Each structure stands twice: as C-alpha cells, then as structure tokens.
Short mmCIF file of all heavy atoms in Angstrom, two decimals:
data_model
loop_
_atom_site.label_atom_id
_atom_site.label_comp_id
_atom_site.label_asym_id
_atom_site.label_seq_id
_atom_site.Cartn_x
_atom_site.Cartn_y
_atom_site.Cartn_z
N MET A 682 0.85 -1.17 0.00
CA MET A 682 0.00 0.00 0.00
C MET A 682 0.89 1.23 0.00
O MET A 682 1.79 1.36 0.79
CB MET A 682 -0.89 -0.04 1.24
CG MET A 682 -1.90 1.02 1.26
SD MET A 682 -3.07 0.60 2.57
CE MET A 682 -3.98 2.06 2.57
N ALA A 683 0.61 2.15 -0.89
CA ALA A 683 1.43 3.36 -1.02
C ALA A 683 1.01 4.38 0.03
O ALA A 683 -0.17 4.50 0.36
CB ALA A 683 1.28 3.94 -2.42
N HIS A 684 1.99 5.10 0.49
CA HIS A 684 1.69 6.16 1.47
C HIS A 684 1.31 7.43 0.74
O HIS A 684 1.87 7.77 -0.28
CB HIS A 684 2.92 6.42 2.35
CG HIS A 684 3.25 5.27 3.23
ND1 HIS A 684 2.51 4.97 4.34
CD2 HIS A 684 4.24 4.33 3.17
CE1 HIS A 684 3.02 3.90 4.93
NE2 HIS A 684 4.08 3.48 4.22
N GLN A 685 0.32 8.12 1.29
CA GLN A 685 -0.11 9.37 0.69
C GLN A 685 0.57 10.53 1.40
O GLN A 685 0.82 10.49 2.59
CB GLN A 685 -1.62 9.55 0.83
CG GLN A 685 -2.44 8.56 0.05
CD GLN A 685 -3.93 8.81 0.23
OE1 GLN A 685 -4.34 9.56 1.10
NE2 GLN A 685 -4.72 8.17 -0.60
N ALA A 686 0.83 11.56 0.63
CA ALA A 686 1.37 12.78 1.23
C ALA A 686 0.26 13.43 2.05
O ALA A 686 -0.93 13.23 1.78
CB ALA A 686 1.85 13.72 0.14
N PRO A 687 0.60 14.19 3.09
CA PRO A 687 -0.43 14.81 3.93
C PRO A 687 -1.43 15.67 3.16
O PRO A 687 -2.61 15.68 3.47
CB PRO A 687 0.38 15.66 4.91
CG PRO A 687 1.72 15.05 4.95
CD PRO A 687 1.94 14.44 3.59
N GLU A 688 -0.98 16.37 2.11
CA GLU A 688 -1.91 17.22 1.32
C GLU A 688 -2.93 16.36 0.59
O GLU A 688 -4.11 16.69 0.52
CB GLU A 688 -1.15 18.07 0.30
CG GLU A 688 -0.12 19.01 0.87
CD GLU A 688 1.25 18.34 1.02
OE1 GLU A 688 1.56 17.43 0.23
OE2 GLU A 688 1.97 18.71 1.95
N GLN A 689 -2.48 15.25 0.03
CA GLN A 689 -3.40 14.36 -0.69
C GLN A 689 -4.39 13.71 0.26
O GLN A 689 -5.55 13.51 -0.08
CB GLN A 689 -2.61 13.28 -1.43
CG GLN A 689 -1.81 13.79 -2.59
CD GLN A 689 -0.97 12.69 -3.21
OE1 GLN A 689 -0.68 11.67 -2.57
NE2 GLN A 689 -0.56 12.90 -4.45
N PHE A 690 -3.95 13.40 1.47
CA PHE A 690 -4.84 12.80 2.46
C PHE A 690 -5.93 13.77 2.86
O PHE A 690 -7.10 13.40 2.96
CB PHE A 690 -4.02 12.37 3.69
CG PHE A 690 -4.85 11.71 4.75
CD1 PHE A 690 -5.37 10.44 4.55
CD2 PHE A 690 -5.12 12.35 5.95
CE1 PHE A 690 -6.13 9.82 5.52
CE2 PHE A 690 -5.88 11.73 6.92
CZ PHE A 690 -6.38 10.46 6.71
N VAL A 691 -5.57 15.04 3.04
CA VAL A 691 -6.55 16.07 3.40
C VAL A 691 -7.53 16.28 2.26
O VAL A 691 -8.74 16.38 2.46
CB VAL A 691 -5.85 17.39 3.79
CG1 VAL A 691 -6.85 18.52 3.93
CG2 VAL A 691 -5.05 17.21 5.07
N ASP A 692 -7.02 16.30 1.00
CA ASP A 692 -7.90 16.51 -0.14
C ASP A 692 -8.90 15.36 -0.28
O ASP A 692 -10.08 15.58 -0.52
CB ASP A 692 -7.08 16.63 -1.44
CG ASP A 692 -6.34 17.96 -1.52
OD1 ASP A 692 -6.72 18.89 -0.79
OD2 ASP A 692 -5.40 18.06 -2.33
N SER A 693 -8.44 14.11 -0.13
CA SER A 693 -9.36 12.98 -0.26
C SER A 693 -10.37 12.98 0.89
O SER A 693 -11.52 12.61 0.71
CB SER A 693 -8.59 11.66 -0.31
OG SER A 693 -7.97 11.40 0.93
N ARG A 694 -9.93 13.41 2.05
CA ARG A 694 -10.85 13.48 3.19
C ARG A 694 -11.91 14.56 2.96
O ARG A 694 -13.09 14.36 3.28
CB ARG A 694 -10.04 13.80 4.44
CG ARG A 694 -10.72 13.45 5.70
CD ARG A 694 -9.76 13.62 6.85
NE ARG A 694 -10.21 12.84 7.96
CZ ARG A 694 -9.67 12.86 9.14
NH1 ARG A 694 -8.62 13.62 9.36
NH2 ARG A 694 -10.13 12.13 10.10
N GLN A 695 -11.51 15.69 2.38
CA GLN A 695 -12.46 16.75 2.09
C GLN A 695 -13.46 16.30 1.02
O GLN A 695 -14.65 16.61 1.11
CB GLN A 695 -11.73 18.01 1.63
CG GLN A 695 -11.04 18.76 2.75
CD GLN A 695 -10.26 19.96 2.24
OE1 GLN A 695 -10.03 20.12 1.04
NE2 GLN A 695 -9.83 20.80 3.17
N LYS A 696 -12.99 15.59 0.02
CA LYS A 696 -13.89 15.08 -1.02
C LYS A 696 -14.91 14.13 -0.43
O LYS A 696 -16.09 14.18 -0.75
CB LYS A 696 -13.09 14.38 -2.12
CG LYS A 696 -12.35 15.31 -3.03
CD LYS A 696 -11.60 14.53 -4.09
CE LYS A 696 -10.78 15.44 -4.97
NZ LYS A 696 -10.02 14.70 -5.98
N ARG A 697 -14.43 13.24 0.44
CA ARG A 697 -15.33 12.27 1.08
C ARG A 697 -16.36 13.00 1.94
O ARG A 697 -17.54 12.66 1.95
CB ARG A 697 -14.53 11.29 1.92
CG ARG A 697 -15.37 10.12 2.39
CD ARG A 697 -14.58 9.11 3.20
NE ARG A 697 -13.32 8.75 2.54
CZ ARG A 697 -12.17 8.57 3.19
NH1 ARG A 697 -12.11 8.73 4.49
NH2 ARG A 697 -11.08 8.24 2.54
N SER A 698 -15.91 14.04 2.66
CA SER A 698 -16.80 14.82 3.51
C SER A 698 -17.85 15.55 2.67
O SER A 698 -19.03 15.58 3.02
CB SER A 698 -16.00 15.82 4.34
OG SER A 698 -16.84 16.64 5.10
N ARG A 699 -17.42 16.13 1.55
CA ARG A 699 -18.38 16.82 0.66
C ARG A 699 -19.40 15.85 0.08
O ARG A 699 -20.57 16.15 -0.01
CB ARG A 699 -17.63 17.51 -0.48
CG ARG A 699 -16.97 18.78 -0.08
CD ARG A 699 -16.35 19.44 -1.29
NE ARG A 699 -15.55 20.58 -0.88
CZ ARG A 699 -14.60 21.11 -1.59
NH1 ARG A 699 -14.32 20.62 -2.79
NH2 ARG A 699 -13.92 22.15 -1.16
N ARG A 700 -18.91 14.68 -0.32
CA ARG A 700 -19.80 13.67 -0.89
C ARG A 700 -20.83 13.22 0.15
O ARG A 700 -22.02 13.09 -0.15
CB ARG A 700 -18.99 12.48 -1.39
CG ARG A 700 -19.83 11.49 -2.17
CD ARG A 700 -19.01 10.38 -2.75
NE ARG A 700 -18.04 10.92 -3.69
CZ ARG A 700 -16.84 10.38 -3.93
NH1 ARG A 700 -16.47 9.28 -3.31
NH2 ARG A 700 -16.02 10.92 -4.80
N LEU A 701 -20.37 12.99 1.37
CA LEU A 701 -21.27 12.58 2.44
C LEU A 701 -22.30 13.66 2.73
O LEU A 701 -23.49 13.38 2.88
CB LEU A 701 -20.48 12.26 3.71
CG LEU A 701 -21.29 11.84 4.93
CD1 LEU A 701 -22.05 10.55 4.64
CD2 LEU A 701 -20.40 11.69 6.13
N ARG A 702 -21.86 14.91 2.78
CA ARG A 702 -22.80 16.02 3.01
C ARG A 702 -23.82 16.13 1.88
O ARG A 702 -24.99 16.41 2.12
CB ARG A 702 -22.04 17.34 3.16
CG ARG A 702 -21.35 17.47 4.47
CD ARG A 702 -20.68 18.80 4.58
NE ARG A 702 -19.98 18.94 5.84
CZ ARG A 702 -19.31 20.00 6.20
NH1 ARG A 702 -19.22 21.04 5.39
NH2 ARG A 702 -18.70 20.04 7.36
N ALA A 703 -23.37 15.92 0.64
CA ALA A 703 -24.29 15.99 -0.50
C ALA A 703 -25.34 14.89 -0.42
O ALA A 703 -26.52 15.12 -0.67
CB ALA A 703 -23.51 15.90 -1.81
N VAL A 704 -24.90 13.69 -0.06
CA VAL A 704 -25.85 12.57 0.06
C VAL A 704 -26.84 12.84 1.19
O VAL A 704 -28.05 12.61 1.04
CB VAL A 704 -25.09 11.25 0.29
CG1 VAL A 704 -26.03 10.13 0.70
CG2 VAL A 704 -24.32 10.86 -0.96
N LEU A 705 -26.35 13.34 2.32
CA LEU A 705 -27.25 13.65 3.43
C LEU A 705 -28.22 14.76 3.08
O LEU A 705 -29.40 14.71 3.44
CB LEU A 705 -26.44 14.01 4.68
CG LEU A 705 -25.67 12.87 5.32
CD1 LEU A 705 -24.82 13.39 6.48
CD2 LEU A 705 -26.61 11.79 5.80
N ALA A 706 -27.75 15.78 2.38
CA ALA A 706 -28.64 16.87 1.96
C ALA A 706 -29.71 16.36 0.99
O ALA A 706 -30.88 16.73 1.09
CB ALA A 706 -27.84 17.99 1.32
N GLY A 707 -29.31 15.50 0.06
CA GLY A 707 -30.29 14.91 -0.87
C GLY A 707 -31.31 14.07 -0.14
O GLY A 707 -32.51 14.12 -0.45
N GLY A 708 -30.87 13.30 0.85
CA GLY A 708 -31.80 12.50 1.64
C GLY A 708 -32.77 13.37 2.43
O GLY A 708 -33.95 13.05 2.56
N LEU A 709 -32.26 14.48 2.94
CA LEU A 709 -33.13 15.41 3.67
C LEU A 709 -34.19 16.00 2.77
O LEU A 709 -35.37 16.06 3.12
CB LEU A 709 -32.28 16.52 4.30
CG LEU A 709 -33.03 17.57 5.10
CD1 LEU A 709 -33.65 16.96 6.35
CD2 LEU A 709 -32.09 18.70 5.47
N VAL A 710 -33.79 16.42 1.56
CA VAL A 710 -34.74 16.99 0.61
C VAL A 710 -35.80 15.96 0.22
O VAL A 710 -37.01 16.25 0.20
CB VAL A 710 -34.01 17.54 -0.63
CG1 VAL A 710 -34.98 17.89 -1.74
CG2 VAL A 710 -33.18 18.75 -0.25
N LEU A 711 -35.36 14.74 -0.09
CA LEU A 711 -36.32 13.70 -0.47
C LEU A 711 -37.23 13.33 0.69
O LEU A 711 -38.43 13.09 0.50
CB LEU A 711 -35.58 12.46 -0.97
CG LEU A 711 -34.89 12.60 -2.33
CD1 LEU A 711 -34.09 11.34 -2.64
CD2 LEU A 711 -35.90 12.88 -3.41
N GLY A 712 -36.69 13.29 1.90
CA GLY A 712 -37.50 12.97 3.07
C GLY A 712 -38.56 14.01 3.34
O GLY A 712 -39.71 13.69 3.63
N LEU A 713 -38.17 15.28 3.24
CA LEU A 713 -39.16 16.36 3.44
C LEU A 713 -40.22 16.34 2.35
O LEU A 713 -41.40 16.55 2.62
CB LEU A 713 -38.46 17.71 3.48
CG LEU A 713 -37.68 18.02 4.75
CD1 LEU A 713 -36.93 19.34 4.60
CD2 LEU A 713 -38.59 18.06 5.95
N GLY A 714 -39.79 16.09 1.11
CA GLY A 714 -40.76 16.01 0.01
C GLY A 714 -41.75 14.87 0.21
O GLY A 714 -42.95 15.03 -0.03
N ALA A 715 -41.26 13.74 0.67
CA ALA A 715 -42.15 12.60 0.93
C ALA A 715 -43.11 12.91 2.07
O ALA A 715 -44.30 12.58 2.00
CB ALA A 715 -41.33 11.36 1.26
N ALA A 716 -42.63 13.57 3.11
CA ALA A 716 -43.49 13.91 4.24
C ALA A 716 -44.59 14.89 3.82
O ALA A 716 -45.76 14.74 4.20
CB ALA A 716 -42.66 14.50 5.37
N VAL A 717 -44.24 15.87 3.01
CA VAL A 717 -45.23 16.85 2.54
C VAL A 717 -46.25 16.17 1.64
O VAL A 717 -47.46 16.43 1.72
CB VAL A 717 -44.54 18.03 1.82
CG1 VAL A 717 -45.53 18.91 1.11
CG2 VAL A 717 -43.74 18.84 2.82
N THR A 718 -45.78 15.29 0.77
CA THR A 718 -46.70 14.58 -0.12
C THR A 718 -47.67 13.70 0.66
O THR A 718 -48.88 13.71 0.39
CB THR A 718 -45.90 13.71 -1.11
OG1 THR A 718 -45.03 14.56 -1.85
CG2 THR A 718 -46.82 12.98 -2.06
N LEU A 719 -47.17 12.96 1.62
CA LEU A 719 -48.06 12.11 2.42
C LEU A 719 -49.04 12.95 3.23
O LEU A 719 -50.19 12.57 3.40
CB LEU A 719 -47.23 11.22 3.34
CG LEU A 719 -46.46 10.09 2.65
CD1 LEU A 719 -45.59 9.36 3.65
CD2 LEU A 719 -47.43 9.13 1.98
N ALA A 720 -48.60 14.09 3.72
CA ALA A 720 -49.51 14.96 4.47
C ALA A 720 -50.61 15.49 3.56
O ALA A 720 -51.77 15.60 3.98
CB ALA A 720 -48.73 16.11 5.10
N ALA A 721 -50.28 15.80 2.32
CA ALA A 721 -51.29 16.30 1.38
C ALA A 721 -52.28 15.19 1.02
O ALA A 721 -53.47 15.44 0.87
CB ALA A 721 -50.62 16.83 0.13
N TRP A 722 -51.78 13.97 0.87
CA TRP A 722 -52.67 12.86 0.53
C TRP A 722 -53.55 12.46 1.70
O TRP A 722 -54.60 11.86 1.51
CB TRP A 722 -51.87 11.64 0.10
CG TRP A 722 -51.25 11.76 -1.25
CD1 TRP A 722 -51.50 12.70 -2.19
CD2 TRP A 722 -50.30 10.87 -1.83
NE1 TRP A 722 -50.75 12.47 -3.30
CE2 TRP A 722 -50.00 11.36 -3.11
CE3 TRP A 722 -49.66 9.72 -1.38
CZ2 TRP A 722 -49.10 10.73 -3.95
CZ3 TRP A 722 -48.77 9.10 -2.22
CH2 TRP A 722 -48.49 9.59 -3.49
N ASN A 723 -53.15 12.78 2.90
CA ASN A 723 -53.89 12.37 4.08
C ASN A 723 -54.85 13.45 4.56
O ASN A 723 -55.27 13.45 5.70
CB ASN A 723 -52.89 12.03 5.20
CG ASN A 723 -53.54 11.23 6.30
OD1 ASN A 723 -54.56 10.61 6.09
ND2 ASN A 723 -52.95 11.27 7.47
N ASP A 724 -55.19 14.39 3.70
CA ASP A 724 -56.10 15.47 4.06
C ASP A 724 -57.50 14.89 4.28
O ASP A 724 -58.10 14.34 3.37
CB ASP A 724 -56.12 16.52 2.94
CG ASP A 724 -56.91 17.74 3.32
OD1 ASP A 724 -57.13 17.95 4.53
OD2 ASP A 724 -57.30 18.50 2.42
N SER A 725 -58.00 15.01 5.48
CA SER A 725 -59.30 14.43 5.82
C SER A 725 -60.41 15.46 5.60
O SER A 725 -60.30 16.60 6.04
CB SER A 725 -59.32 13.98 7.27
OG SER A 725 -58.35 12.98 7.48
N GLU A 726 -61.44 15.03 4.95
CA GLU A 726 -62.61 15.88 4.76
C GLU A 726 -63.83 15.07 5.17
O GLU A 726 -63.91 13.89 4.90
CB GLU A 726 -62.74 16.32 3.30
CG GLU A 726 -61.63 17.25 2.87
CD GLU A 726 -61.84 17.79 1.48
OE1 GLU A 726 -63.00 17.73 1.01
OE2 GLU A 726 -60.88 18.26 0.88
N PHE A 727 -64.76 15.74 5.81
CA PHE A 727 -65.95 15.07 6.29
C PHE A 727 -67.17 15.64 5.58
O PHE A 727 -67.27 16.84 5.35
CB PHE A 727 -66.09 15.25 7.80
CG PHE A 727 -64.95 14.65 8.57
CD1 PHE A 727 -63.90 15.44 9.01
CD2 PHE A 727 -64.91 13.30 8.82
CE1 PHE A 727 -62.85 14.89 9.69
CE2 PHE A 727 -63.85 12.73 9.50
CZ PHE A 727 -62.82 13.53 9.94
N ALA A 728 -68.11 14.80 5.25
CA ALA A 728 -69.36 15.21 4.62
C ALA A 728 -70.51 14.62 5.41
O ALA A 728 -70.40 13.56 6.02
CB ALA A 728 -69.40 14.73 3.17
N ARG A 729 -71.60 15.32 5.41
CA ARG A 729 -72.78 14.84 6.14
C ARG A 729 -73.96 14.89 5.18
O ARG A 729 -74.14 15.84 4.44
CB ARG A 729 -73.02 15.77 7.34
CG ARG A 729 -74.19 15.37 8.17
CD ARG A 729 -74.28 16.25 9.36
NE ARG A 729 -73.95 15.40 10.50
CZ ARG A 729 -73.86 15.82 11.72
NH1 ARG A 729 -74.00 17.08 11.99
NH2 ARG A 729 -73.60 14.99 12.70
N GLY A 730 -74.77 13.85 5.22
CA GLY A 730 -75.93 13.79 4.35
C GLY A 730 -77.10 13.16 5.08
O GLY A 730 -76.94 12.42 6.03
N SER A 731 -78.29 13.49 4.61
CA SER A 731 -79.50 12.92 5.18
C SER A 731 -80.22 12.16 4.07
O SER A 731 -80.52 12.73 3.02
CB SER A 731 -80.39 14.03 5.74
OG SER A 731 -81.59 13.50 6.22
N PHE A 732 -80.47 10.90 4.31
CA PHE A 732 -81.10 10.06 3.31
C PHE A 732 -82.35 9.42 3.91
O PHE A 732 -82.34 9.00 5.06
CB PHE A 732 -80.13 8.96 2.85
CG PHE A 732 -78.86 9.49 2.29
CD1 PHE A 732 -77.73 9.60 3.08
CD2 PHE A 732 -78.79 9.91 0.98
CE1 PHE A 732 -76.55 10.10 2.59
CE2 PHE A 732 -77.61 10.42 0.47
CZ PHE A 732 -76.49 10.52 1.27
N ALA A 733 -83.42 9.36 3.10
CA ALA A 733 -84.66 8.73 3.56
C ALA A 733 -85.30 8.02 2.37
O ALA A 733 -85.08 8.37 1.22
CB ALA A 733 -85.60 9.78 4.12
N ALA A 734 -86.11 7.03 2.69
CA ALA A 734 -86.82 6.30 1.64
C ALA A 734 -88.20 6.92 1.46
O ALA A 734 -88.85 7.34 2.41
CB ALA A 734 -86.96 4.84 2.04
N GLY A 735 -88.64 7.00 0.24
CA GLY A 735 -89.97 7.53 -0.05
C GLY A 735 -90.98 6.39 -0.15
O GLY A 735 -90.63 5.24 -0.38
N GLY A 736 -92.23 6.72 0.00
CA GLY A 736 -93.28 5.70 -0.08
C GLY A 736 -94.43 6.19 -0.95
O GLY A 736 -94.63 7.39 -1.11
N PHE A 737 -95.19 5.27 -1.53
CA PHE A 737 -96.37 5.63 -2.32
C PHE A 737 -97.37 4.48 -2.24
O PHE A 737 -97.01 3.35 -1.96
CB PHE A 737 -95.99 5.96 -3.77
CG PHE A 737 -95.18 4.89 -4.45
CD1 PHE A 737 -95.81 3.90 -5.18
CD2 PHE A 737 -93.80 4.88 -4.36
CE1 PHE A 737 -95.08 2.91 -5.79
CE2 PHE A 737 -93.07 3.90 -4.98
CZ PHE A 737 -93.71 2.91 -5.70
N ASN A 738 -98.61 4.82 -2.46
CA ASN A 738 -99.69 3.83 -2.40
C ASN A 738 -100.21 3.57 -3.80
O ASN A 738 -100.46 4.49 -4.57
CB ASN A 738 -100.84 4.34 -1.53
CG ASN A 738 -100.44 4.42 -0.08
OD1 ASN A 738 -99.64 3.62 0.38
ND2 ASN A 738 -100.99 5.39 0.64
N LEU A 739 -100.43 2.29 -4.09
CA LEU A 739 -101.05 1.90 -5.36
C LEU A 739 -102.43 1.34 -5.07
O LEU A 739 -102.61 0.56 -4.14
CB LEU A 739 -100.22 0.82 -6.05
CG LEU A 739 -98.85 1.24 -6.60
CD1 LEU A 739 -98.15 0.03 -7.19
CD2 LEU A 739 -99.01 2.31 -7.64
N VAL A 740 -103.37 1.78 -5.86
CA VAL A 740 -104.72 1.26 -5.72
C VAL A 740 -105.06 0.56 -7.02
O VAL A 740 -104.95 1.13 -8.10
CB VAL A 740 -105.73 2.39 -5.45
CG1 VAL A 740 -107.14 1.84 -5.36
CG2 VAL A 740 -105.35 3.14 -4.19
N GLY A 741 -105.45 -0.69 -6.90
CA GLY A 741 -105.78 -1.44 -8.10
C GLY A 741 -107.04 -2.27 -7.89
O GLY A 741 -107.57 -2.36 -6.80
N SER A 742 -107.50 -2.84 -8.96
CA SER A 742 -108.69 -3.66 -8.89
C SER A 742 -108.45 -4.95 -9.64
O SER A 742 -107.84 -4.96 -10.70
CB SER A 742 -109.87 -2.91 -9.52
OG SER A 742 -110.99 -3.76 -9.56
N SER A 743 -108.97 -6.04 -9.08
CA SER A 743 -108.83 -7.32 -9.76
C SER A 743 -110.13 -7.74 -10.46
O SER A 743 -110.22 -8.82 -10.97
CB SER A 743 -108.41 -8.39 -8.75
OG SER A 743 -109.38 -8.52 -7.75
N PHE A 744 -111.12 -6.84 -10.43
CA PHE A 744 -112.39 -7.16 -11.12
C PHE A 744 -112.27 -6.85 -12.60
O PHE A 744 -111.67 -5.86 -12.99
CB PHE A 744 -113.54 -6.34 -10.51
CG PHE A 744 -113.79 -6.67 -9.06
CD1 PHE A 744 -113.49 -5.74 -8.07
CD2 PHE A 744 -114.32 -7.90 -8.71
CE1 PHE A 744 -113.72 -6.03 -6.76
CE2 PHE A 744 -114.56 -8.19 -7.37
CZ PHE A 744 -114.25 -7.25 -6.41
N PRO A 745 -112.93 -7.68 -13.46
CA PRO A 745 -112.90 -7.38 -14.89
C PRO A 745 -113.76 -6.14 -15.19
O PRO A 745 -114.67 -5.81 -14.45
CB PRO A 745 -113.50 -8.62 -15.54
CG PRO A 745 -114.22 -9.34 -14.47
CD PRO A 745 -113.61 -8.92 -13.15
N PRO A 746 -113.47 -5.46 -16.24
CA PRO A 746 -114.26 -4.26 -16.56
C PRO A 746 -115.70 -4.65 -16.91
O PRO A 746 -115.98 -5.70 -17.46
CB PRO A 746 -113.55 -3.68 -17.78
CG PRO A 746 -112.64 -4.72 -18.28
CD PRO A 746 -112.42 -5.71 -17.18
N ARG A 747 -116.66 -3.78 -16.54
CA ARG A 747 -118.08 -4.04 -16.82
C ARG A 747 -118.43 -3.66 -18.25
O ARG A 747 -117.98 -2.65 -18.74
CB ARG A 747 -118.95 -3.18 -15.91
CG ARG A 747 -118.91 -3.63 -14.51
CD ARG A 747 -120.04 -2.95 -13.79
NE ARG A 747 -119.53 -2.39 -12.55
CZ ARG A 747 -120.26 -1.69 -11.75
NH1 ARG A 747 -121.50 -1.40 -12.05
NH2 ARG A 747 -119.78 -1.27 -10.64
N PRO A 748 -119.24 -4.48 -18.89
CA PRO A 748 -119.68 -4.11 -20.24
C PRO A 748 -120.67 -2.95 -20.18
O PRO A 748 -121.46 -2.85 -19.27
CB PRO A 748 -120.34 -5.36 -20.78
CG PRO A 748 -120.54 -6.26 -19.64
CD PRO A 748 -119.70 -5.80 -18.53
N ARG A 749 -120.75 -2.12 -21.14
CA ARG A 749 -121.66 -0.99 -21.17
C ARG A 749 -122.93 -1.30 -21.84
O ARG A 749 -123.34 -1.85 -22.64
CB ARG A 749 -121.01 0.19 -21.85
CG ARG A 749 -119.93 0.73 -21.00
CD ARG A 749 -119.47 2.02 -21.64
NE ARG A 749 -118.44 2.56 -20.82
CZ ARG A 749 -118.25 3.81 -20.66
NH1 ARG A 749 -118.98 4.69 -21.24
NH2 ARG A 749 -117.30 4.25 -19.94
#
C-alpha cells in the first residue's frame, strides 16, 4: 500500500466529507418532500348527508271491466 502525502490525504478526506454532506442533503430533501406529499394525501374531509326512503300507495282492482 502506497503512502499518501499529507496534502493528498486532506484533499481525499475533504472530497469524502463533501460527498457525504451531499448525500445527506439529498436525503433530507427527499424525506421532506415525501413527508409533505403524504400529508397532502392524508387530508381528511368530512361530509354529512341525510337520506330517507320515499313511499307511495297503489290502488288497483282485480275485477274485470263491466260491459256498457
């Protein structure tokens, strides 16, 4: 394994740190976006209605019609 000069070690460490911060920032943005989306989808609305059945009477006859 080759030894790195101190400047190269610091540069690679800074790159790794930047990459980690970028990944964490992206995860934060995606997490907040998902939370906002789920909150919007979970919007509860309530409705109230009154329903009733109607009724009617039929009057009929089973007698045959009378001749005139």
Side-chain angles (χ1 to χ4, degrees):
M682 187 168 172
H684 293 285
Q685 293 180 348
E688 300 88 30
Q689 290 176 339
F690 181 70
V691 170
D692 287 342
S693 67
R694 200 172 202 186
Q695 285 177 347
K696 286 180 183 178
R697 191 178 312 140
S698 176
R699 282 185 188 159
R700 188 176 298 150
L701 179 62
R702 285 183 181 180
V704 168
L705 290 175
L709 180 66
V710 169
L711 289 175
L713 286 175
V717 169
T718 301
L719 289 175
W722 286 349
N723 196 21
D724 187 19
S725 298
E726 293 186 19
F727 298 98
R729 181 176 249 177
S731 177
F732 302 96
F737 53 92
N738 292 328
L739 291 178
V740 178
S742 174
S743 60
F744 297 110
R747 289 194 227 177
R749 290 189 180 214

